[in-house]
Amino acid sequence: QVQLVESGGGVVQPGRSLRLSCAASGFIFRSYGMHWVRQAPGKGLEWVAVISYDGSDKYYADSVKGRFTISRDNSKHTLYLQMNSLRVEDTAVYYCAKGGSGVLDGMDVWGQGTTVTVSS
Amino acid sequence: SYELTQPPSVSVSPGQTARITCSGDALPKQYAHWYQQKPGQAPVLVIYKDSERPSGIPERFSGSSSGTTVTLTISGVQAADEADYYCHSADSSGTYLVFGGGTRLTVL
């Protein structure tokens, strides 16, 4: 069945880096845009970044632009989020989500999330 | 940046109709999508492209659009519909995506 499984979360000090991964299965990964969305404790959803099906287009939220990089490896059916210069306010559950053929389509499949805690 | 505005909370009795609005300047140009999130769970897409319903979503969920406002309507609300609901769309350039602040639906 269609599935997304995130990994790579953990506890990290401010200013350090972390890379999240999202393994996809059950659909033609290379045909769909993919998103990262986060949710801080007790807060709402915040869109983080999106990448087009072929990796040619990438867009970011202002809060992470210049610090986070979204990428994908279609041969490995895997989405990544490289997070640098982490801040306390980056603490959240990070979800990967499957989009549509375009980057503006709805997100119809979500992973269960991986938790990132930034703390000294 | 760009913002979508939702009411923080909506309350209805079982069997009534709940309407949750989402306002944004670019909504006449961009589609909106709606998600349901229950505590401790990942979000679920309930409406896409303003008014389309994914397979497996009950018919009591519907969406509409008028000018700068989109509306999620839940007819015949059930206790199981109690959740947070988020709209999602993009700015006029289509390069900046955003979620609304979320609306907590309480079934009285």
Side-chain angles (χ1 to χ4, degrees), chain A residues 4 22 33-37 79 95-99 107 109-111:
Chain A
L4 297 171
C22 171
M34 296 293 296
H35 299 259
W36 286 101
V37 176
L79 174 73
Y95 296 100
C96 67
K98 170 183 168 288
M107 305 175 207
V109 181
W110 294 65

Side-chain angles (χ1 to χ4, degrees), chain B residues 7 9 11 15 29 36 40-42 48 52 55 65 75 93 95 103:
Chain B
S9 63
S11 299
K29 184 178 179 179
Q36 176 194 68
Q41 299 183 17
Y48 66 99
E52 299 294 320
S55 61
S65 176
S75 304
S93 73
T95 61
T103 298

Side-chain angles (χ1 to χ4, degrees), chain A residues 3-9 19-25 27 29 33-37 51 70-74 76-82 94-99 109-114:
Chain A
Q3 193 173 14
L4 297 171
V5 179
E6 301 95 338
S7 61
R19 188 177 85 154
L20 305 183
S21 299
C22 171
S25 59
F27 65 99
F29 181 71
M34 296 293 296
H35 299 259
W36 286 101
V37 176
I51 186 168
I70 190 172
S71 63
R72 65 191 298 161
D73 186 335
N74 285 345
K76 295 183 178 179
H77 305 104
T78 302
L79 174 73
Y80 302 101
L81 185 67
Q82 177 66 43
Y94 285 73
Y95 296 100
C96 67
K98 170 183 168 288
V109 181
W110 294 65
Q112 282 306 303
T114 187

Side-chain angles (χ1 to χ4, degrees), chain B residues 5 7 10 15-17 21 34 38 43-45 53 60 64-65 67-68 70 72-74 82-84 88 91 95 98:
Chain B
T5 301
V10 168
Q16 290 189 327
T17 296
T21 60
W34 290 93
K38 296 182 179 179
V44 173
L45 181 68
R53 193 172 53 249
R60 63 179 184 274
S64 61
S65 176
T68 58
V70 293
L72 172 68
T73 300
I74 310 172
E82 190 164 275
D84 293 326
H88 155 232
D91 69 355
T95 61
V98 65

